[in-house]
Amino acid sequence: MSEVREKAILAKETTPLLGQLTTAQKNKALALMADALISETASIIAANEEDLQRGKTNGLTSSLLDRLSLNAPRIAAIAEGLREIIQLDDPIGDELEKFARPNGLLVRKVRVPLGLIGIIYEARPNVTVDAAGLCLKSGNAVLLRGGSDALSSNKRIIEVLHGALVQSDIPVNALQLVSNPDRASVDEMLKLNGILDVVIPRGGHSLIQNVIKNATVPVIETGAGVCHTYADNQADPVKALKIALNAKVQRPSVCNSMETLLLQRGFAEQHLRSIADAFIMANVELRGCALSQQLVPEMKAASDVDWSTEYNDYILNVKVVADLDEAIAHIRRYGTMHSECIVTENEANAQRFMQETDAAAVYHNASTRFTDGFEFGFGAEIGISTQKLHARGPMGLPALTSTKYYVQGNGQIRQ
């Protein structure tokens, strides 16, 4: 039996027990996991150093190395994420509806775990802990398959978490990591019908598309982030610069960072030069349309491929548009339905942008970097869903549940 199938079956066998655990039992396990991460910080960093050295040898970009890197403050933040999940309401058992039928049947709609969740993700080892915490708190078992770039880090993290679970009521087998770095292990996960209840991909466009196209198990799509910020002629220039810089520079390697800045022509003619200077000072490479290049001659030309690229790096596209209609049309063509922002003091323009732009999160005068489970108050997220069925936007605990109808009768039969 393959590693993937064996570990999936082991995890699946724990799901009946997980659904019966109390909130207190699950919270105790999360607390033990958080404590273990802190106490084993040195060994986790040592394992992470193996990944970083291998990544440098393999030519990973600086932004990808940043996503991969762990240090004491980052590990402390990851552990704190588990403690924040402890503070969140447990959705399991929540009664969503209750009603009586004319025949006397009492019907209750209740939240229940999904079962066994598969997570396929790339070079961010913090996802290993976030996914484990959210899945276990919501009563689900989890089968993790991280990227080969973070294999040493992920293996050590799972060893640490398993050591903590031994002291809890959550069975160790509920948390599994596929260590086989071969792509065949991903392909096998995608076809574990009857074992895996749902798979959630987290990563770049190619990974997500591979999962969507090849999975025969249900998929919750977390999309790549080609995010835009649009400043119209009524935008406050100070506010626009502050928001745009934050959206691109604060952490360019994540999916909610901005990839394209759209500027209405009047605003661009007055302010693009100073905005470009600020980005250049922040070591951001600018690629723009013809009019953008006229206003900032040192800007490179943007290709059609650039407009649809998620860089996750210090590269920014700039396009000058005639009006709100052209801005929305550009986003419809190139956006990934993730996060989109308008900067304006015109309330009518803001409302129209937010209503007509099809994205999981739309912003008025705020950075797209806020599309995040922590920032929305959901605790560590499992991902940002860009689809429209089951869940959309940052996916916290409720998104990892299904529902069940409990029907109470007193001898009724259907006529």
Side-chain angles (χ1 to χ4, degrees):
M1 186 183 296
S2 69
E3 178 200 11
V4 171
R5 179 167 289 270
E6 179 181 1
K7 289 185 172 179
I9 291 173
L10 288 172
K12 183 72 169 182
E13 289 173 346
T14 70
T15 56
L17 172 61
L18 291 175
Q20 304 300 316
L21 295 178
T22 66
T23 302
Q25 288 173 306
K26 291 184 284 188
N27 285 344
K28 178 184 176 182
L30 296 184
L32 289 167
M33 289 162 60
D35 291 344
L37 289 171
I38 297 300
S39 64
E40 290 293 334
T41 292
S43 69
I44 294 171
I45 291 174
N48 182 247
E49 186 59 32
E50 295 177 13
D51 291 327
L52 291 174
Q53 290 301 322
R54 189 166 55 250
K56 291 173 185 176
T57 301
N58 293 338
L60 289 185
T61 65
S62 58
S63 63
L64 288 177
L65 288 171
D66 174 65
R67 296 178 79 176
L68 177 60
S69 178
L70 291 175
N71 52 35
R74 285 190 176 183
I75 293 172
I78 293 168
E80 183 58 30
L82 286 175
R83 296 191 178 100
E84 290 189 12
I85 295 173
I86 291 172
Q87 302 304 316
L88 299 174
D89 291 338
D90 185 350
I92 300 305
D94 282 355
E95 188 175 88
L96 303 179
E97 293 181 58
K98 181 179 180 180
F99 54 91
R101 299 295 298 143
N103 61 6
L105 289 177
L106 179 63
V107 182
R108 297 167 55 233
K109 184 179 182 181
V110 177
R111 285 196 187 276
V112 296
L114 287 169
L116 174 57
I117 300 175
I119 313 288
I120 300 172
Y121 55 106
E122 294 179 321
R124 293 176 64 187
N126 64 292
V127 175
T128 303
V129 181
D130 292 349
L134 284 167
C135 289
L136 295 177
K137 173 74 181 248
S138 54
N140 296 288
V142 59
L143 179 65
L144 301 170
R145 202 287 190 179
S148 58
D149 293 333
L151 184 57
S152 296
S153 303
N154 289 337
K155 288 173 70 174
R156 182 59 193 140
I157 288 170
I158 291 297
E159 290 170 354
V160 170
L161 298 183
H162 277 173
L165 290 179
V166 169
Q167 307 170 59
S168 79
D169 294 320
I170 291 181
V172 170
N173 283 341
L175 172 59
Q176 298 287 346
L177 173 73
V178 175
S179 59
N180 181 359
D182 194 284
R183 180 172 172 172
S185 65
V186 172
D187 295 336
E188 186 176 3
M189 278 183 67
L190 300 181
K191 294 176 171 57
L192 288 176
N193 297 72
I195 303 174
L196 201 62
D197 291 288
V198 66
V199 65
I200 303 173
R202 285 191 60 167
H205 179 75
S206 61
L207 181 149
I208 293 167
Q209 289 304 306
N210 175 59
V211 171
I212 294 169
K213 292 176 181 177
N214 295 303
T216 56
V217 298
V219 177
I220 298 178
E221 180 180 350
T222 60
V226 180
C227 304
H228 302 75
T229 299
Y230 169 56
D232 71 4
N233 289 343
Q234 285 76 51
D236 178 328
V238 175
K239 195 179 292 182
L241 176 58
K242 181 179 178 181
I243 290 170
L245 272 175
N246 180 263
K248 176 78 261 185
V249 176
Q250 196 258 346
R251 197 173 182 189
S253 63
V254 292
C255 62
N256 57 22
S257 63
M258 172 181 64
E259 304 295 8
T260 297
L261 177 63
L262 302 171
L263 303 174
Q264 192 170 3
R265 181 162 185 162
F267 183 91
E269 289 172 344
Q270 293 185 61
H271 304 293
L272 178 53
R273 178 69 263 179
S274 60
I275 289 173
D277 288 341
F279 276 105
I280 292 168
M281 284 289 292
N283 296 315
V284 176
E285 176 187 316
L286 299 177
R287 302 177 184 180
C289 64
L291 186 50
S292 298
Q293 289 184 285
Q294 290 178 24
L295 297 171
V296 181
E298 65 268 39
M299 189 181 298
K300 296 181 179 181
S303 68
D304 198 58
V305 172
D306 288 323
W307 301 122
S308 58
T309 297
E310 183 184 24
Y311 295 116
N312 294 136
D313 206 347
Y314 289 89
I315 304 172
L316 177 67
N317 301 318
V318 181
K319 182 177 178 63
V320 177
V321 297
D323 51 25
L324 181 59
D325 287 327
E326 187 177 351
I328 292 174
H330 181 96
I331 293 170
R332 284 177 178 166
R333 180 175 179 182
Y334 296 105
T336 54
M337 297 190 290
H338 193 295
S339 302
E340 309 293 354
C341 166
I342 183 171
V343 183
T344 183
E345 300 306 306
N346 185 309
E347 289 293 333
N349 286 352
Q351 287 304 309
R352 186 177 158 220
F353 177 92
M354 297 176 82
Q355 289 170 1
E356 296 185 19
T357 301
D358 190 5
V362 287
Y363 292 84
H364 176 204
N365 289 347
S367 170
T368 58
R369 285 285 289 112
F370 284 105
T371 306
D372 177 86
F374 282 112
E375 296 295 338
F376 280 24
F378 301 160
E381 69 190 30
I382 207 74
I384 310 293
S385 171
T386 55
Q387 65 182 29
K388 298 183 181 181
L389 295 179
H390 176 67
R392 197 178 196 198
M395 295 171 58
L397 293 174
L400 299 179
T401 67
S402 183
T403 57
K404 180 187 291 187
Y405 285 98
Y406 288 70
V407 184
Q408 182 67 46
N410 188 28
Q412 290 92 333
I413 60 172
R414 184 166 178 176
Q415 301 301 320

